[in-house]
Amino acid sequence: MDFGEKIAMDSGENIEETTTAVDRISQLSDDLLLHILSLMPTEAALVTSALSKRWRYLWKSLDSFSFSTFGNYEWYVSYVDYVLGHSVSPKIKKFQLDSNEPDAYKSDMDRWLSFAIEKKVENLKIQSVSEEEVYALPECLYTCSSLITLVVGFCSFDANVAVAWKSLKSIKLKWMVLSNDHIVNLLSGCPILETMELFRFKGFSRLEIRSSKLKRLNLIAYNDDELDHSLEIVAPYLQHLEICESLYGFKCRLVDVSSLVNAKLTFEITCIKDI
């Protein structure tokens, strides 16, 4: 029995049990109910189809999805394919995809991201949760002009593919190895980027931000095994800068931050006292 057949059977069994119950939430408008469902993990939202006839097909109009690829491979692929295959929303506001086995799910994750991109996804979060398996971002993502916010973790960029995120305003990169070429490619392809956060980052030695739009930069925990690494920052229009957490051996040189208004520097220090 595949996922779709199971959902259909479960829904049919439970609808008669709940239709006579007094349910004030069900009296709300579709827009409000969909907003409530959008705040839940997609799997939990889908289960509400068994509550009553009022809820049976509501989830199909969701414009926000959250998937975590843990558990049985065949079941999970069937589940995500079923959800996206029955989606009737013309646009996707939020799409989150976490995976502990990106190598095994690579072709499936590419398909699901392609679906989100075709639906003009605005807020996207893609994360591998395995340090050993890094997910290579598909080429179709680099030209997704509808993106407004992007969070990427344990993934890899192709520096030879030009980025064209013309609507992107916020980006957060976590556990990423980024070369100077990656940084140049990324910044040149995000003309209206306002906020950039790098978490557990390493690889590049120069961060040059010439855009007058990018006002906020957060650098959290440089993650290189080298004991001595330096980074130059050239950002004449930057207004807010945060550098924090473990930065042992990390030397940051502020070449030009002439418009800086606020700066927050937080360092971890280990003190050893002889007894």
Side-chain angles (χ1 to χ4, degrees), residues 119-168:
K119 290 289 186 100
K120 308 295 183 183
V121 60
E122 295 181 349
N123 305 285
L124 180 62
K125 184 177 183 180
I126 316 166
Q127 292 187 128
S128 166
V129 295
S130 171
E131 188 173 359
E132 288 74 28
E133 297 184 25
V134 175
Y135 175 60
L137 298 173
E139 192 168 329
C140 62
L141 178 62
Y142 293 81
T143 55
C144 182
S145 60
S146 59
L147 282 178
I148 297 174
T149 69
L150 176 63
V151 178
V152 178
F154 275 129
C155 296
S156 63
F157 281 109
D158 186 343
N160 296 316
V161 181
V163 168
W165 293 328
K166 298 179 181 180
S167 302
L168 194 69

Side-chain angles (χ1 to χ4, degrees), residues 3 43 66-82 96-98 105 112:
F3 186 84
E43 189 171 345
S66 177
F67 300 113
S68 297
T69 60
F70 300 96
N72 180 273
Y73 170 80
E74 292 184 358
W75 182 91
Y76 205 87
V77 170
S78 175
Y79 155 61
V80 178
D81 284 345
Y82 179 83
Q96 178 175 339
L97 184 57
D98 300 330
Y105 285 95
W112 299 332

Side-chain angles (χ1 to χ4, degrees), residues 137 142 150 152 156-166 168 170-174 176-193 195-198 204 207-209 211 214 217:
L137 298 173
Y142 293 81
L150 176 63
V152 178
S156 63
F157 281 109
D158 186 343
N160 296 316
V161 181
V163 168
W165 293 328
K166 298 179 181 180
L168 194 69
S170 174
I171 189 168
K172 182 176 183 178
L173 305 178
K174 305 191 295 182
M176 301 280 287
V177 180
L178 300 164
S179 67
N180 288 332
D181 289 341
H182 284 130
I183 294 296
V184 171
N185 184 24
L186 193 155
L187 291 175
S188 64
C190 305
I192 65 169
L193 190 66
T195 300
M196 183 177 188
E197 180 174 320
L198 303 177
F204 60 96
L207 185 55
E208 185 169 348
I209 303 170
S211 171
L214 207 161
L217 174 65

Side-chain angles (χ1 to χ4, degrees), residues 14-260:
N14 294 330
I15 283 176
E16 290 185 3
E17 299 175 5
T18 59
T19 49
T20 58
V22 177
D23 186 356
R24 292 184 178 179
I25 295 180
S26 293
Q27 305 305 314
L28 297 175
S29 68
D30 283 358
D31 288 344
L32 283 174
L33 292 179
L34 285 169
H35 178 68
I36 292 171
L37 293 181
S38 71
L39 301 176
M40 304 165 61
T42 301
E43 189 171 345
L46 191 57
V47 171
T48 62
S49 65
L51 292 176
S52 68
K53 290 181 180 179
R54 174 76 170 83
W55 293 82
R56 187 167 189 177
Y57 302 110
L58 195 61
W59 64 271
K60 294 183 179 183
S61 297
L62 276 172
D63 60 8
S64 297
F65 300 92
S66 177
F67 300 113
S68 297
T69 60
F70 300 96
N72 180 273
Y73 170 80
E74 292 184 358
W75 182 91
Y76 205 87
V77 170
S78 175
Y79 155 61
V80 178
D81 284 345
Y82 179 83
V83 172
L84 299 184
H86 287 78
S87 172
V88 297
S89 177
K91 192 172 185 178
I92 293 180
K93 287 186 178 180
K94 182 181 73 174
F95 194 88
Q96 178 175 339
L97 184 57
D98 300 330
S99 178
N100 64 330
E101 295 181 278
D103 288 350
Y105 285 95
K106 170 61 178 170
S107 61
D108 300 301
M109 291 175 68
D110 288 353
R111 283 193 300 106
W112 299 332
L113 282 176
S114 179
F115 174 87
I117 292 167
E118 289 176 4
K119 290 289 186 100
K120 308 295 183 183
V121 60
E122 295 181 349
N123 305 285
L124 180 62
K125 184 177 183 180
I126 316 166
Q127 292 187 128
S128 166
V129 295
S130 171
E131 188 173 359
E132 288 74 28
E133 297 184 25
V134 175
Y135 175 60
L137 298 173
E139 192 168 329
C140 62
L141 178 62
Y142 293 81
T143 55
C144 182
S145 60
S146 59
L147 282 178
I148 297 174
T149 69
L150 176 63
V151 178
V152 178
F154 275 129
C155 296
S156 63
F157 281 109
D158 186 343
N160 296 316
V161 181
V163 168
W165 293 328
K166 298 179 181 180
S167 302
L168 194 69
K169 293 185 176 182
S170 174
I171 189 168
K172 182 176 183 178
L173 305 178
K174 305 191 295 182
W175 299 99
M176 301 280 287
V177 180
L178 300 164
S179 67
N180 288 332
D181 289 341
H182 284 130
I183 294 296
V184 171
N185 184 24
L186 193 155
L187 291 175
S188 64
C190 305
I192 65 169
L193 190 66
E194 298 174 354
T195 300
M196 183 177 188
E197 180 174 320
L198 303 177
F199 177 83
R200 296 288 178 185
F201 60 97
K202 66 178 179 179
F204 60 96
S205 59
R206 183 176 176 84
L207 185 55
E208 185 169 348
I209 303 170
R210 293 293 180 180
S211 171
S212 60
K213 299 289 185 180
L214 207 161
K215 302 295 187 183
R216 184 177 297 275
L217 174 65
N218 297 337
L219 303 177
I220 304 175
Y222 189 77
N223 192 47
D224 203 328
D225 294 331
E226 296 181 13
L227 295 180
D228 187 8
H229 187 91
S230 61
L231 172 64
E232 289 187 347
I233 297 179
V234 181
Y237 301 103
L238 194 68
Q239 294 184 357
H240 308 279
L241 173 64
E242 180 175 355
I243 303 175
C244 65
E245 285 199 28
S246 177
L247 297 166
Y248 181 71
F250 178 69
K251 299 175 183 178
C252 184
R253 181 169 176 248
L254 304 180
V255 178
D256 183 358
V257 288
S258 51
S259 298
L260 202 62

